[in-house]
Amino acid sequence: MGDGNAVNNRGGATNSSNSEKPEWLQQYNLIGKIGEGTYGLVFLAKTKSPANRGKSIAIKKFKQSKDGDGVSPTAIREIMLLREISHENVVKLVNVHINHADMSLYLAFDYAEHDLYEIIRHHRDKVNNMINQYTVKSLLWQLLNGLNYLHSNWIVHRDLKPSNILVMGEGDEHGVVKIADFGLARIYQAPLKPLSDNGVVVTIWYRAPELLLGGKHYTSAVDMWAVGCIFAELLTLKPLFQGAEAKSTPNPFQLDQLDKIFKVLGHPTLEKWPTLASLPHWAQDIQHIQAHKYDNAGLHTAVPLSPKSAPFDLLSKMLEYDPRKRITAAQALEHEYFRLEPLPGRNALVPSQPGEKVINYPTRPVDTNTDFEGTTSLQPPPPMQSGNSGGMAGPHGVNRSAPRPMHMGMQRMQPQGMAAYNLSSQAGMGGMNPGIPMPRGVPHQQQNLRRKEPSGMGTGYPPQQKSRR
Amino acid sequence: MAANFWISSHFKQLLDPEEVDVVHPLDKEKGISLEDFKLIKMHMTNYICKLAQHVKVRQRVVATAVSYMRRVYTKKSMSEYDPRIVAPTCLYLASKAEESTVQARLLSFYIKKLYSDEKYRYEIKEILEMEMKILEALNYYLVIYHPYRALSQLLPDTGINDISMTQLVWGLVNDTYKTDLILMHPPHLIALACIYIATVYRDKDITAWFEELRVDMNVVKNISMEILDFYEGHRLITEERINAAFSKLALKTLNG
């Protein structure tokens, strides 16, 4: 994110009728609320400054934490990491603002219209058809590309799930994947406390078996397990391991989730996974875990792939039980799957064949009745009010439907009727940033003592796919 | 970021001594000299260390907190940002950034316990307000690299890492936070300077080892000189001098 000139840019306050709003807020036209969670709210806004007029921005508002402990550590983590990193497939933080009056903190991101949760849902419920292979492959490649960047920088995301994988809508970056929501992301070198200690509960469906079995150490392999689950979900349109979440204690043993995994992949064995013996739940819950017999149904029963195909091979390597044997993001990018037609491309949403139908994914619902304070007005918004008064319901603020609940807090709100599915979602975030080229492969453990320039190994797409764009 | 210092915000923000040793005009107006400025920052470093011992956080949190505080004063005046609230708040923020969150009320409790002086007493609410002002002053750049990691890799490599040597070097590194070195030099060079001083002090010649490193030994020696200067000057520091500096800060200017 460079020199930070963008941050705290207080320019662009030209509309005098907005004078009651904090100065920085006057840079934006608020369109409406696009989500909420325990941490606060997410808004869609458009920039007013002449250079970027009408550019969509997602603004995440963090409330002061209720326990009287200032800025939430989640917000600190997210800002801290996003201020350092820059990659085309990682969401771009464009601004941070503080409102001292109510002690709230605002993060402004480039807005992404879609996310994998919505794309999958659209195919399942509306299109009634699978996502085409070009799109699946391009989404997966870009997800891995962003993840490889993070892992090379010793950042483990820890909460990858379809709603956190954003996809840019129409524009320069149409169909580009952006990994979002770094509220749980951690630098995993030399953690001061075991990473599991902060007691944050995340969606269990994408959780790696070593964590389900009580492993304390998050490694980049937990993200790769989640990518495997997401890959399968892109292929089948339903979550691969849809366990029922136990919620009894702060960090309960998720037996049902493990059961779902074992039913498909079979029982893990010490032979294939030697460190299994040291995992607490494996050692302790012998009756349910070790003694329970599973037929090894096989991954091929869960996905529409031939066991001999390249995508199946890649998927099975992502869903390897032993985290030390699980494929890394760098290795996955080199997998044969990505060298076979159709080759992955930058715009994942373009049709794979010239004559093929373009799928119009739905845009994010916006609640135009909510202002930046999170207050919902009881009256319907004035019709087509231009954005010159406190209402800020701009001409783009078409009230499509109620906003989806946001996952980013610790609990998800689940609307009726869809409780079985992960209904959470995510504010759009994304941005165009070529990023600093990061070396693929094994992360550098040392601060480059013998001063090297950052390696020039590219993050570019495989050259052969240029024909795709 | 975590892997590569050379692309970090910390690297990009390294300053020259001339940029660090600047007394803010508002403080200058009150008669604060460069010496006073350094003295107050050193005193607040000690304060952060003391507080950290009570709330039980590790040295890395202290190091990050001190770095935040020193960075704040390259941009803000002590007149507007009272060191006696900035210092504990930096510890508070650093504890979150370094994943060992300390509760504000615990911090407030120990501040009161450590200092009977009313000037040190700040309410929890004031710490929380200052937290946001510090975030702003730091321009939301929170990742700081420290010499410790380089040290733990370099020291064994020198072949003279007996316990007393290790303790000596770690102590030297801890003391570098009483200066602004962390704002001006890459952390591994600070680590090397500490190793250099320790080996000279212990009459161990590892010139060959240094040569193999292919680092600019002039920079390492300059850092070493600054550290030695600090120890030289440190003996002359008295409570009175610190109090005198703080009483200047308390002066009301004509405008203020």
Side-chain angles (χ1 to χ4, degrees):
Chain A
M1 140 150 349
D3 57 12
N5 284 340
V7 170
N8 272 340
N9 171 11
R10 287 159 192 273
T14 49
N15 193 336
S16 59
S17 64
N18 278 336
S19 57
E20 281 183 23
K21 288 200 299 266
E23 202 180 340
W24 69 265
L25 209 60
Q26 297 177 29
Q27 296 176 62
Y28 305 111
N29 278 319
L30 177 71
I31 307 301
K33 184 174 79 173
I34 48 177
E36 65 182 285
T38 46
Y39 60 89
L41 301 167
V42 183
F43 302 94
L44 172 61
K46 292 198 186 264
T47 51
K48 288 192 214 164
S49 68
N52 281 313
R53 187 178 298 279
K55 188 175 162 59
S56 294
I57 297 288
I59 299 178
K60 193 167 169 182
K61 176 185 181 179
F62 286 90
K63 290 179 286 201
Q64 184 80 357
S65 66
K66 287 192 193 72
D67 54 8
D69 249 315
V71 181
S72 80
T74 306
I76 299 278
R77 263 198 294 273
E78 187 153 20
I79 296 171
M80 180 166 172
L81 291 174
L82 289 174
R83 282 299 262 154
E84 301 287 326
I85 60 184
S86 169
H87 188 271
E88 185 179 35
N89 298 121
V90 173
V91 71
K92 187 183 174 197
L93 177 67
V94 291
N95 249 320
V96 184
H97 302 288
I98 280 174
N99 182 4
H100 292 281
D102 71 348
M103 307 265 284
S104 54
L105 183 81
Y106 298 82
L107 305 192
F109 297 91
D110 279 348
Y111 176 71
E113 191 65 78
H114 313 291
D115 58 62
L116 294 195
Y117 174 81
E118 281 302 321
I119 287 172
I120 291 166
R121 186 168 79 148
H122 184 69
H123 278 270
R124 192 187 54 221
D125 298 348
K126 299 280 158 51
V127 180
N128 231 338
N129 201 354
M130 291 297 136
I131 305 175
N132 81 59
Q133 289 315 297
Y134 164 75
T135 297
V136 171
K137 195 182 283 187
S138 303
L139 292 171
L140 184 68
W141 194 88
Q142 294 188 42
L143 169 58
L144 288 165
N145 195 35
L147 203 56
N148 182 40
Y149 169 82
L150 295 175
H151 290 172
S152 304
N153 284 283
W154 293 87
I155 295 166
V156 54
H157 186 285
R158 304 202 305 170
D159 195 20
L160 287 178
K161 54 187 173 187
S163 56
N164 280 344
I165 317 297
L166 310 183
V167 183
M168 296 298 280
E170 279 178 29
D172 297 345
E173 291 198 286
H174 191 207
V176 172
V177 169
K178 304 283 175 180
I179 300 173
D181 198 349
F182 287 78
L184 291 177
R186 303 280 284 261
I187 304 168
Y188 60 91
Q189 50 150 5
L192 290 183
K193 281 185 177 177
L195 290 162
S196 55
D197 268 16
N198 69 353
V200 175
V201 181
V202 301
T203 330
I204 61 166
W205 296 344
Y206 307 92
R207 197 177 293 174
E210 62 271 26
L211 299 178
L212 293 165
L213 285 167
K216 298 268 182 231
H217 292 284
Y218 285 77
T219 65
S220 54
V222 306
D223 286 341
M224 289 308 293
W225 179 273
V227 172
C229 297
I230 293 166
F231 184 17
E233 193 166 333
L234 287 169
L235 295 168
T236 65
L237 306 180
K238 65 178 192 6
L240 179 60
F241 305 122
Q242 207 168 343
E245 185 163 354
K247 289 180 176 169
S248 51
T249 52
N251 194 10
F253 176 42
Q254 301 291 352
L255 179 63
D256 193 57
Q257 183 63 26
L258 276 171
D259 184 64
K260 294 285 190 297
I261 296 170
F262 294 169
K263 272 179 182 152
V264 173
L265 299 179
H267 223 260
T269 61
L270 287 169
E271 210 174 22
K272 286 188 205 152
W273 184 3
T275 51
L276 182 61
S278 63
L279 292 171
H281 293 307
W282 178 264
Q284 287 156 20
D285 204 330
I286 291 168
Q287 186 197 344
H288 290 108
I289 299 297
Q290 287 194 41
H292 196 286
K293 291 282 170 273
Y294 288 94
D295 300 323
N296 188 351
L299 184 58
H300 63 276
T301 61
V303 288
L305 295 172
S306 153
K308 283 179 186 153
S309 67
F312 185 88
D313 183 69
L314 176 57
L315 179 62
S316 63
K317 283 172 174 156
M318 290 170 168
L319 299 175
E320 164 66 50
Y321 274 129
D322 188 342
R324 289 184 299 185
K325 294 181 192 155
R326 205 171 295 151
I327 196 168
T328 65
Q331 290 162 350
L333 286 167
E334 301 297 326
H335 193 274
E336 189 197 356
Y337 174 55
F338 295 115
R339 296 167 201 234
L340 298 173
E341 291 284 340
L343 296 173
R346 184 173 186 264
N347 183 346
L349 303 182
V350 298
S352 61
Q353 302 294 328
E356 203 162 312
K357 199 172 127 237
V358 180
I359 293 167
N360 290 311
Y361 292 102
T363 52
R364 230 170 261 284
V366 182
D367 172 6
T368 53
N369 295 331
T370 306
D371 63 22
F372 264 123
E373 303 312 311
T375 323
T376 303
S377 60
L378 294 173
Q379 290 88 27
M384 291 307 284
Q385 181 182 349
S386 58
N388 62 355
S389 72
M392 288 183 73
H396 305 282
V398 183
N399 194 359
R400 298 185 188 93
S401 64
R404 289 170 288 129
M406 308 300 291
H407 69 293
M408 288 177 281
M410 278 137 215
Q411 75 206 32
R412 287 177 279 119
M413 291 181 292
Q414 301 211 324
Q416 311 84 322
M418 288 294 292
Y421 200 80
N422 169 16
L423 244 205
S424 57
S425 188
Q426 154 81 7
M429 296 154 192
M432 192 172 92
N433 199 321
I436 301 155
M438 294 300 301
R440 279 192 200 161
V442 187
H444 293 290
Q445 198 143 15
Q446 280 200 349
Q447 298 169 11
N448 291 0
L449 184 61
R450 287 157 194 154
R451 185 166 184 161
K452 287 176 199 152
E453 289 310 309
S455 159
M457 288 175 71
T459 49
Y461 294 80
Q464 67 268 38
Q465 73 196 20
K466 276 186 178 145
S467 58
R468 171 60 56 197
R469 274 176 272 169
Chain B
M1 52 165 287
N4 195 339
F5 173 74
W6 304 111
I7 57 168
S8 69
S9 64
H10 183 166
F11 172 65
K12 287 173 195 147
Q13 290 187 88
L14 287 181
L15 298 167
D16 291 329
E18 309 82 75
E19 297 171 288
V20 176
D21 292 337
V22 179
V23 181
H24 194 281
L26 284 174
D27 297 338
K28 224 180 211 165
E29 219 175 298
K30 294 183 174 178
I32 298 279
S33 65
L34 182 57
E35 281 310 300
D36 295 331
F37 187 45
K38 289 183 173 179
L39 214 56
I40 292 172
K41 284 191 280 188
M42 198 191 70
H43 180 67
M44 297 329 288
T45 303
N46 291 336
Y47 178 26
I48 289 172
C49 292
K50 265 196 245 173
L51 259 181
Q53 279 165 16
H54 283 87
V55 298
K56 296 192 171 57
V57 289
R58 294 178 23 168
Q59 179 59 28
R60 200 170 94 193
V61 183
V62 174
T64 298
V66 173
S67 309
Y68 289 169
M69 183 225 9
R70 293 183 177 278
R71 209 181 261 177
V72 165
Y73 289 122
T74 62
K75 293 174 179 133
K76 303 291 181 186
S77 70
M78 291 185 166
S79 308
E80 290 169 302
Y81 288 71
D82 185 341
R84 286 162 291 208
I85 173 95
V86 168
T89 308
C90 284
L91 183 62
Y92 179 58
L93 181 59
S95 77
K96 290 181 187 176
E98 298 285 356
E99 304 286 348
S100 17
T101 305
V102 172
Q103 288 180 331
R105 56 181 177 80
L106 192 69
L107 213 52
S108 164
F109 172 81
Y110 281 110
I111 293 169
K112 283 171 188 155
K113 207 176 156 191
L114 276 170
Y115 288 94
S116 49
D117 186 346
E118 252 181 37
K119 294 195 182 73
Y120 283 82
R121 294 209 169 182
Y122 281 95
E123 295 305 317
I124 294 170
K125 185 170 168 281
E126 292 166 296
I127 295 178
L128 302 185
E129 282 168 5
M130 183 51 79
E131 182 187 28
M132 294 203 144
K133 289 172 79 174
I134 288 173
L135 273 172
E136 258 182 346
L138 294 173
N139 203 4
Y140 313 99
Y141 287 117
L142 301 175
V143 175
I144 310 276
Y145 289 74
H146 297 295
Y148 300 105
R149 189 147 56 97
L151 197 61
S152 58
Q153 290 159 353
L154 291 167
L155 204 50
D157 197 48
T158 61
I160 45 165
N161 55 327
D162 56 275
I163 289 173
S164 76
M165 185 71 183
T166 306
Q167 279 176 348
L168 174 62
V169 181
W170 277 79
L172 287 168
V173 171
N174 289 350
D175 281 345
T176 61
Y177 287 91
K178 292 175 182 166
T179 73
D180 286 306
L181 281 169
I182 192 70
L183 301 185
M184 301 184 285
H185 300 285
H188 70 277
L189 294 182
I190 297 175
L192 284 175
C194 293
I195 292 174
Y196 180 71
I197 293 174
T199 54
V200 171
Y201 184 75
R202 287 274 159 87
D203 260 341
K204 302 251 162 80
D205 185 8
I206 55 166
T207 316
W209 181 79
F210 273 109
E211 274 168 7
E212 263 182 38
L213 284 178
R214 282 188 284 150
V215 295
D216 187 344
M217 272 316 278
N218 286 326
V219 179
V220 173
K221 283 176 183 166
N222 284 342
I223 298 171
S224 307
M225 289 311 292
E226 286 192 53
I227 297 169
L228 294 174
D229 280 350
F230 157 75
Y231 284 111
E232 193 65 31
H234 190 250
R235 284 181 285 160
L236 305 170
I237 294 167
T238 60
E239 191 90 345
E240 287 76 51
R241 284 182 61 197
I242 293 166
N243 290 339
F246 269 107
S247 49
K248 283 186 204 167
L249 206 55
L251 288 176
K252 287 234 160 63
T253 58
L254 287 174
N255 318 332

